Amino acid sequence: MESQSSTPNIADLIQSDRVHGSVYTDEAIFQLELEKIWYKTWVYVGHASEVPNANDFVSKSIGPQPLIMTRGRDGVIRLLLNRCPHRANQVCLQAKGNRGSFTCPYHGWTFSNSGELRGFPFPDGYDTADRSELGLGQVNRVAEYKGFVFGSFADEGPSLEEHLGAGGRDAIDRLVQTSPEGEVEITAGFLQHRAKANWKFIVENETDGYHPQFVHASIFSIAKSGIGDLYSSDSTAVARDLGDGHTENDLRPEFRRIDKPMNWFGTNEARLPDYVEKMKAAYGEEKAREIMIDGTPHVMIFPNLFIAEIQIFVIQPLAVDESIQHVTALQFKGAPDLNRRLRQQTMGSVGPAGFLLADDSEMYERTQRGVKSKMPEWNYLGRGKHRERRDEEGFMVGDATDEVTSRGIWRHYRELMEAE
Amino acid sequence: MSSQIDLALLAEVQQFLYMEARLQDSNLYSEWEALWTDDAIYWVPANGADIDPEEQMSIIYDNRSRIGLRIKQFYTGKRHTQAPASSLGRVVSNIEILDVNGDEVKVASNAMIFECNLRADTVWATRNEFLLRRTEEGFRMARKKVVLVNNEKPLYTLSFLV
């Protein structure tokens, strides 16, 4: 931990094509981020399919704070804070399970899974205690978009749909239609990959189309993967700033040029006959072909949900220089043959031993150490500034390897950090 | 298996596990790869010891061809997280023969691994289970399961041979 200043002036630290190194290392800035971003805006927490039945629960988090995501008897998903209102003991120690109530092991206070205090032992010891005031804390607003559950600690502010914007919603819409039943399921369990690095290095890297050819050269060269070519200077793919900090690498132009169904997943229709048949039955020949050519999105929903074609990452900051990537394979309802391959490929790619992510995380940690060096003070993010342009929908786009995405992230970050 | 301890077999198994540990600690990748059978499974589960690796995410769940890919990646020289390679020293103990079935011996052991890399010094503790198969060249690994005792928690990158 280090603290360079007590009152950082964000406007001085974030400029149109460069950011000051202290934004990754200053403890005061990290505390401000918790207040202005993590404990205010919409943050992705979990997926409805992780608590499919009444009384299911799963341990989650927003920033460093642990939460319990529960589904009540009434079917409603809630985000409870894991802190007994009596003396702050943690009431739930399990990763997941099914229960209608949580009993604090310290003094036996019991809470329903919708947060209300049900009772405490030896009640004659309390004279005026108002039980309705002594429930578990709850994240102020909870909202769902196509099964993706987000929470916001602010009572008021933009709705989740407004926060996602047209670009974020469209990405999730595109994702779910990869399922013949139009639903994503998060059922394969998470790997938790820790890195000694600031969370923003991770967010920026997710849609940095410049790094794959170098960071992942080892696996691209031996696995005969076509991924590297998608991020070359000849690629027709685009980097896109979707606004509100959301960004994507849109690979569809390349997949459409290649024009082979399931090529996005490095396979072909013949290898997934059941899936292909179900997709055609669900969407019709033409639309199914379109979906199977376009593939799933590569989109970073600010600040913490990275949908990475075949898996999702949930980014959790623990400290200014410590972060966790929670990662699991995407599973598409009604597509068991596709899902099996998604799990296998995800396991090879990500997590602490992954062919890809172990090298990304190496870069996160090296940049965290590098940015502590005094000179030249700034990270330069000007790549492709001379060729960025508006697309038909009005989003700013650049070539596949351009840093239009990083610039979009920082513009939004600065707005959030400067807001009252 | 008789109640009598087969000391000769135990010594043979012990020598094999020590050799495997030495190859790993020395980052002798292809020599280590040669210890596997063609039908090998190399498994490092996450979130407990008994998950179903066909359904749930594991840290590593490699068949023989993926073990080969893992090894090839080191030799590209661009496996950044192992360039420079971790310095390693491990202690293998609690070697116990669980079962003998024809050519195959099921063995349990523990390992404590000290890793030094660019990030920091890290200690890893594992409970291992092997299925060793006797071949003309000596024992070969048909299966190795490595249960990191902290596999339910967030883990730093683990890119050396565990």
Side-chain angles (χ1 to χ4, degrees), chain B residues 16 21 27-28 42 56 63 79 82 90-91 95 98 101 127 141 146 158:
Chain B
F16 179 84
N27 296 306
L28 289 168
Y42 175 32
Q56 297 287 303
N63 58 15
R79 177 56 162 167
Q82 284 298 316
R90 78 189 72 193
V91 175
I95 298 169
L98 300 177
N101 187 358
R127 295 192 302 264
M141 299 187 288
V146 179
L158 189 163

Side-chain angles (χ1 to χ4, degrees), chain A residues 138-244:
Chain A
Q138 303 205 20
V139 174
N140 306 47
R141 288 187 297 160
V142 181
E144 216 179 288
Y145 187 79
K146 308 242 160 136
F148 290 83
V149 179
F150 294 74
S152 161
F153 276 108
D155 281 326
E156 292 173 1
S159 68
L160 175 62
E161 296 219 344
E162 286 166 339
H163 165 78
L164 293 171
R169 292 197 304 271
D170 177 60
I172 294 174
D173 294 345
R174 273 153 49 199
L175 178 70
V176 300
Q177 69 181 8
T178 307
S179 152
E181 298 177 29
E183 281 183 49
V184 160
E185 295 184 309
I186 300 299
T187 49
F190 280 84
L191 298 181
Q192 300 179 76
H193 189 179
R194 188 168 189 159
K196 196 91 195 137
N198 186 269
W199 63 276
K200 299 186 295 299
F201 277 128
I202 303 174
V203 172
E204 287 180 275
N205 185 67
E206 311 301 23
T207 49
D208 167 36
Y210 200 11
H211 82 279
Q213 290 248 0
F214 310 100
V215 175
H216 305 305
S218 62
I219 196 67
F220 292 165
S221 68
I222 57 170
K224 298 182 196 88
S225 161
I227 298 173
D229 296 336
L230 301 170
Y231 298 101
S232 72
S233 58
D234 300 329
S235 171
T236 57
V238 297
R240 181 175 291 121
D241 172 5
L242 296 168
D244 294 321

Side-chain angles (χ1 to χ4, degrees), chain B residues 60-78:
Chain B
I60 293 175
Y61 186 52
D62 287 359
N63 58 15
R64 183 63 188 82
S65 95
R66 196 169 270 184
I67 292 169
L69 198 62
R70 200 171 285 284
I71 297 305
K72 259 192 192 166
Q73 192 182 19
F74 291 126
Y75 285 113
T76 62
K78 291 176 180 169

Side-chain angles (χ1 to χ4, degrees), chain B residues 113-129:
Chain B
I113 308 168
F114 185 90
E115 180 195 20
C116 170
N117 67 4
L118 292 176
R119 183 189 54 251
D121 297 344
T122 311
V123 175
W124 305 87
T126 72
R127 295 192 302 264
N128 299 337
E129 209 174 277

Side-chain angles (χ1 to χ4, degrees), chain A residues 77-356:
Chain A
I77 292 178
R78 295 180 180 83
L79 303 176
L80 308 179
L81 276 75
N82 198 5
R83 169 184 171 158
C84 181
H86 177 213
R87 295 210 198 187
N89 193 41
Q90 292 187 285
V91 299
C92 176
L93 289 314
Q94 288 168 279
K96 59 182 175 181
N98 180 282
R99 61 202 306 174
S101 65
F102 298 93
T103 298
C104 178
Y106 199 178
H107 301 92
W109 287 32
T110 296
F111 307 89
S112 73
N113 61 8
S114 49
E116 293 88 16
L117 174 65
R118 280 220 187 128
F120 31 61
F122 321 138
D124 58 346
Y126 293 106
D127 184 10
T128 57
D130 179 356
R131 290 188 186 207
S132 69
E133 296 281 304
L134 289 169
L136 294 171
Q138 303 205 20
V139 174
N140 306 47
R141 288 187 297 160
V142 181
E144 216 179 288
Y145 187 79
K146 308 242 160 136
F148 290 83
V149 179
F150 294 74
S152 161
F153 276 108
D155 281 326
E156 292 173 1
S159 68
L160 175 62
E161 296 219 344
E162 286 166 339
H163 165 78
L164 293 171
R169 292 197 304 271
D170 177 60
I172 294 174
D173 294 345
R174 273 153 49 199
L175 178 70
V176 300
Q177 69 181 8
T178 307
S179 152
E181 298 177 29
E183 281 183 49
V184 160
E185 295 184 309
I186 300 299
T187 49
F190 280 84
L191 298 181
Q192 300 179 76
H193 189 179
R194 188 168 189 159
K196 196 91 195 137
N198 186 269
W199 63 276
K200 299 186 295 299
F201 277 128
I202 303 174
V203 172
E204 287 180 275
N205 185 67
E206 311 301 23
T207 49
D208 167 36
Y210 200 11
H211 82 279
Q213 290 248 0
F214 310 100
V215 175
H216 305 305
S218 62
I219 196 67
F220 292 165
S221 68
I222 57 170
K224 298 182 196 88
S225 161
I227 298 173
D229 296 336
L230 301 170
Y231 298 101
S232 72
S233 58
D234 300 329
S235 171
T236 57
V238 297
R240 181 175 291 121
D241 172 5
L242 296 168
D244 294 321
H246 314 314
T247 55
E248 75 169 328
N249 293 111
D250 186 355
L251 306 173
R252 286 174 295 180
E254 279 293 289
F255 295 143
R256 287 174 185 172
R257 188 179 60 74
I258 296 163
D259 196 36
K260 287 182 185 148
M262 301 312 291
N263 176 70
W264 67 272
F265 188 45
T267 186
N268 57 50
E269 287 180 293
R271 291 200 177 156
L272 291 164
D274 292 348
Y275 175 69
V276 171
E277 197 179 315
K278 276 188 177 172
M279 287 296 283
K280 287 177 177 168
Y283 296 101
E285 192 96 18
E286 195 181 337
K287 176 71 178 168
R289 188 170 197 280
E290 206 176 282
I291 294 169
M292 290 189 286
I293 284 177
D294 282 353
T296 50
H298 181 115
V299 64
M300 176 68 226
I301 306 286
F302 189 89
N304 73 329
L305 172 63
F306 176 34
I307 299 168
E309 291 108 326
I310 66 167
Q311 65 251 158
I312 58 165
F313 293 77
V314 185
I315 299 162
Q316 181 190 11
L318 286 187
V320 69
D321 61 351
E322 188 89 36
S323 306
I324 302 172
Q325 303 163 78
H326 303 259
V327 57
T328 188
L330 280 161
Q331 301 282 275
F332 296 101
K333 197 170 184 187
D337 47 347
L338 178 64
N339 288 342
R340 190 180 56 82
R341 285 163 177 263
L342 287 163
R343 292 192 298 272
Q344 286 173 345
Q345 204 154 313
T346 296
M347 268 191 271
S349 308
V350 306
F355 292 132
L356 294 166

Side-chain angles (χ1 to χ4, degrees), chain B residues 87-102:
Chain B
S87 295
L88 299 161
R90 78 189 72 193
V91 175
V92 174
S93 81
N94 304 40
I95 298 169
E96 185 184 1
I97 293 173
L98 300 177
D99 192 26
V100 180
N101 187 358

